[in-house]
Amino acid sequence: MAKQVNGNRYLNKIEALNELEQMRKNKVPLRGIELFAEENSEMTSHYEKSIWFKTQRLCYSQGKGFLQKQMIAQWQWAEFKL
């Protein structure tokens, strides 16, 4: 289930993949995806756990691959940058 923290919405892996597919179908512009780990009740990220898109060409397929490969271990939450 999606998590709301300080007004930000974080999705687990299944929700993130489903959301990305809906964004692709509706052609919603996607600028980036950032992954977060929950540590001591705080959401933390790292520069290696984010991907940014300069163009919309292939952003959804690249985003899907990124989520599938990078959402492991403590990196259980994703935030889309629109």
Side-chain angles (χ1 to χ4, degrees):
M1 182 137 156
K3 180 180 283 231
Q4 292 281 91
V5 178
N6 296 329
N8 295 327
R9 182 172 168 241
Y10 303 99
L11 304 171
N12 66 29
K13 189 173 188 173
I14 294 169
E15 293 168 333
L17 289 169
N18 290 339
E19 180 81 10
L20 187 63
E21 180 61 20
Q22 287 300 314
M23 292 170 72
R24 183 190 67 76
K25 287 179 180 178
N26 296 325
K27 298 181 180 171
V28 175
L30 178 62
R31 291 189 303 177
I33 303 171
E34 188 171 5
L35 301 184
F36 290 84
E38 188 172 8
E39 297 175 357
N40 301 325
S41 300
E42 290 185 23
M43 301 303 268
T44 60
S45 187
H46 190 272
Y47 72 93
E48 291 180 346
K49 294 294 182 178
S50 62
I51 185 170
W52 296 95
F53 306 108
K54 291 181 181 179
T55 68
Q56 295 301 290
R57 187 173 180 269
L58 301 175
C59 71
Y60 303 110
S61 61
Q62 289 174 350
K64 181 179 178 181
F66 175 77
L67 291 172
Q68 290 174 330
K69 292 177 185 174
Q70 297 293 324
M71 286 189 84
I72 56 173
Q74 77 267 26
W75 305 100
Q76 295 296 311
W77 300 101
E79 181 183 36
F80 291 104
K81 308 298 184 176
L82 306 177

